């Protein structure tokens, strides 16, 4: 029986891929959700004696997300000491000023991935671990963009703000039942998303030069370093004491 069962979304690249590798250890059952399987992750899991289940899914497809959430729930068998859900998958698209935000399907896809899929996965996770005598923790990877407006990021800011508020509601409902949640900003990390941001149209994203400078000056954190700090935080006694948080507060 696994001591820890951990679920990570968006595990094929960036922070998610680094989180998956940081969580691998003997006694861990890791469940990943991503659009593609990761052969290197499978090899790493085998080498350390961790159990790995990779679910290939596009979480912006809500029917597929719901099916995946039910699959995950079936894997959350009783007997572990810790059950962890890390909702990491997300998108910054579409980037556009408010008057140009006319692509309804793109807006809906972003909300599906950044918010609705999180709610579906969390619902099935909470149902599956309800009443278990174990640590049950949910970490939603949010962003400072959910707390501070940024021109051109109307959708991204709105979805991350929604994620923050959803986390607060989840704690209000489930905190007394032993499920604790945190909405954690990871800081500015050197991921593919940052590359996407740097390729934005400056007429739609006025902060472009600032993000280009982050990269040029070496100000971006490395995914492996951020993932290690997030995993360390998952084990803290005071997990969730600050429900809207930033990992940069923990040196």
């Amino acid at each position: 029986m696994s001591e820890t069962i951990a679920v990570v979304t968006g595990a094929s690249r960036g922070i998610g891929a680094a989180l998956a590798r940081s969580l691998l250890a003997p006694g861990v059952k890791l469940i990943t959700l991503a659009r593609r399987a990761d052969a290197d992750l499978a090899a790493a899991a085998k080498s350390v004696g961790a159990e790995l289940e990779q679910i290939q899914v596009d979480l912006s497809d809500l029917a597929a997300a719901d099916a995946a959430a039910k699959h995950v729930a079936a894997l959350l068998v009783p007997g572990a000491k810790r059950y962890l859900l890390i909702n990491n998958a997300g998108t910054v698209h579409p980037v556009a000023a408010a008057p140009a935000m006319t692509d309804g399907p793109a807006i809906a896809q972003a909300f599906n991935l950044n918010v609705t899929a999180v709610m579906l996965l969390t619902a099935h996770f909470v149902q599956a671990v309800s009443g278990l005598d174990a640590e049950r923790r949910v970490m939603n990877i949010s962003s400072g963009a959910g707390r501070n407006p940024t021109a051109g990021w109307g959708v991204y800011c709105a979805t991350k703000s929604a994620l923050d508020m959803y986390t607060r509601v989840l704690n209000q409902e489930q905190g007394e039942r032993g499920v604790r949640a945190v909405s954690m900003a990871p800081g500015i990390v050197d991921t593919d998303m940052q590359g996407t941001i740097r390729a934005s149209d400056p007429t739609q994203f006025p902060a472009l030069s600032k993000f280009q400078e982050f990269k040029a000056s070496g100000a971006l954190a490395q995914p492996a370093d951020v993932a290690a700090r997030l995993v360390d935080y998952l084990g803290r006694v005071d997990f969730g004491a600050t429900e809207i948080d930033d990992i940069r507060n923990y040196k």
Side-chain angles (χ1 to χ4, degrees):
M1 172 58 66
S2 302
E3 291 190 3
T4 297
I5 302 179
V7 183
V8 180
T9 70
S12 63
R13 58 184 184 175
I15 295 173
L19 277 167
R21 283 157 176 76
S22 293
L23 286 163
L24 290 178
V28 171
K29 178 176 183 177
L30 176 64
I31 304 164
T32 64
L33 294 90
R35 297 190 185 200
R36 62 175 179 82
D38 186 335
D40 291 340
L41 180 64
K46 185 176 181 180
S47 70
V48 301
E51 185 178 351
L52 175 66
E53 175 97 15
Q54 299 191 70
I55 301 172
Q56 292 182 245
V57 59
D58 176 359
L59 290 173
S60 68
D61 178 335
L62 295 187
D66 187 56
K70 291 173 181 174
H71 184 179
V72 168
L75 298 171
L76 301 175
V77 296
K81 294 180 180 178
R82 293 202 309 165
Y83 295 84
L84 308 174
L85 171 61
I86 307 172
N87 288 304
N88 165 75
T91 183
V92 72
H93 288 299
V95 177
M101 194 68 71
T102 58
D103 188 342
I107 295 169
Q109 186 173 43
F111 273 87
N112 287 350
L113 179 60
N114 291 4
V115 183
T116 311
V118 171
M119 297 174 79
L120 289 171
L121 281 160
T122 303
H124 287 287
F125 176 86
V126 170
Q127 289 176 22
V129 302
S130 178
L132 296 182
D133 183 17
E135 286 185 358
R136 293 158 291 159
R137 299 182 171 184
V138 178
M139 178 186 284
N140 295 324
I141 302 301
S142 185
S143 169
R147 303 151 201 183
N148 301 285
T150 298
W153 277 2
V155 169
Y156 189 58
C157 289
T159 57
K160 291 303 184 179
S161 180
L163 191 63
D164 286 351
M165 182 56 75
Y166 173 66
T167 303
R168 294 178 63 189
V169 172
L170 182 64
N171 276 328
Q172 187 178 79
E173 293 178 352
Q174 300 298 322
E176 293 183 358
R177 296 178 172 87
V179 177
R180 299 162 66 185
V182 65
S183 193
M184 183 67 76
I188 306 172
V189 189
D190 195 5
T191 64
D192 289 348
M193 182 180 286
Q194 283 293 317
T196 298
I197 292 167
R198 292 193 300 275
S200 298
D201 180 346
T203 66
Q204 300 298 318
F205 185 56
L208 176 63
S209 61
K210 179 174 71 173
F211 281 83
Q212 291 173 332
E213 179 60 23
F214 287 150
K215 177 67 171 179
S217 66
L220 300 178
Q222 293 304 304
D225 295 337
V226 174
R229 290 162 68 185
L230 291 169
V231 169
D232 181 67
Y233 178 79
L234 281 163
R236 289 176 64 106
V237 174
D238 61 348
F239 175 92
T242 303
E243 60 188 358
I244 310 299
D245 213 340
D246 190 310
I247 197 61
R248 290 171 292 187
N249 294 328
Y250 303 88
K251 303 299 183 182

